[in-house]
Amino acid sequence: MHSFVRPTPMTDSLYEYVLSVSLREPESLRSLREETSKLSEAEWQIAPEQGPFLAMVVQLMGAKHCLEVGTFTGYSAAWVASVLPADGRIICCEINEAFAAIARKHWAVAGVAGKIELRMAPALDSLNQLLAMGRARTFDYAFIDADKANYDVYYEKCLELIRPGGLIAIDNTLWDGKVADPSVTDADTVAIRALNAKLLGDNRVSLSFLPFADGLTLARKS
């Protein structure tokens, strides 16, 4: 057992306190989050505190060219788009039209639709198309939050697409704690566990694993 300071346990009351003192959520994004919460797939949405964190990372980088692999109903994309400069764009890869319709509606209300390009196709097809278009090494930031079994291939494609010094953020790398339980061997858990291990030894990137929400890994391309 390692002897170091561990994160403060996140009780329900403490979590509500954190949100109460940190979440400056515009009404348009709160409405999007609340509509999404009624879906059976609601757990796919990023945690509310992740939105402003990702937005701040993009701001600190001065990013203009952003990419999102797995957009769902558009909450994370809306946060990022909200801080992009007038000539900034985020390309979003999504495959489900029902989810995309929710995203488009709320992006319009939030006033960020003009900064978002939504590509409706399997994410790998969209990433390969961007590479074929000559977009390698042109993106500042990429966020991966799609089907977990394909995380490694998405990571490799994003690593080609982002510039040196660019950042890849990968969601769900704690996977509800299942990555630390060797008895759990479903395809999604195995894929995330394998990518976590690969990232630790990947000298193409510098690495920070945040035990935050369901785990958020940041990989900065060298």
Side-chain angles (χ1 to χ4, degrees):
M1 187 71 69
H2 295 290
S3 57
F4 46 66
V5 177
R6 294 170 179 263
T8 300
M10 189 59 67
T11 62
D12 289 347
S13 60
L14 183 57
Y15 182 60
E16 290 301 320
Y17 171 78
V18 169
L19 294 183
S20 75
V21 297
S22 68
L23 186 60
R24 298 175 177 177
E25 186 179 44
E27 173 60 27
S28 56
L29 295 190
R30 185 190 63 78
S31 177
L32 167 54
R33 184 164 57 86
E34 290 184 350
E35 180 170 349
T36 304
S37 72
K38 299 172 184 176
L39 300 176
S40 59
E41 301 89 352
E43 65 179 11
W44 294 359
Q45 183 167 261
I46 65 166
E49 66 272 21
Q50 286 180 284
F53 176 80
L54 294 174
M56 183 173 286
V57 166
V58 166
Q59 279 186 303
L60 288 171
M61 293 179 67
K64 289 186 178 181
H65 305 290
C66 299
L67 179 63
E68 185 171 86
V69 183
T71 292
F72 190 35
T73 58
Y75 187 74
S76 52
W79 271 106
V80 169
S82 72
V83 299
L84 289 177
D87 58 346
R89 294 292 182 274
I90 178 169
I91 293 177
C92 294
C93 304
E94 180 52 50
I95 195 170
N96 186 297
E97 181 56 46
F99 300 151
I102 296 171
R104 290 189 192 99
K105 177 179 67 175
H106 289 279
W107 290 341
V109 173
V112 298
K115 296 180 182 178
I116 302 174
E117 178 185 338
L118 183 59
R119 296 195 170 207
M120 297 299 299
L124 185 55
D125 291 352
S126 294
L127 297 176
N128 281 331
Q129 185 180 46
L130 289 168
L131 287 168
M133 293 169 59
R135 294 298 307 273
R137 299 165 65 94
T138 66
F139 287 88
D140 303 304
Y141 161 91
F143 180 50
I144 300 173
D145 186 16
D147 52 305
K148 311 311 172 189
N150 282 314
Y151 258 31
D152 184 73
V153 69
Y154 296 150
Y155 168 69
E156 289 295 335
K157 295 297 180 181
C158 287
L159 199 59
E160 291 184 67
L161 286 161
I162 65 167
R163 60 170 172 80
L167 186 76
I168 301 173
I170 307 167
D171 199 27
N172 302 119
T173 47
L174 282 176
W175 202 227
D176 200 28
K178 289 182 283 189
V179 288
D181 183 349
S183 70
V184 181
T185 58
D186 63 276
D188 289 344
T189 303
V190 168
I192 297 173
R193 188 183 291 137
L195 181 59
N196 286 342
K198 172 179 172 173
L199 286 165
L200 179 62
D202 192 344
N203 61 15
R204 297 172 296 174
V205 299
S206 52
L207 180 68
S208 179
F209 188 123
L210 305 178
F212 160 59
D214 192 32
L216 182 69
T217 297
L218 304 180
R220 180 186 180 273
K221 183 174 178 178
S222 300

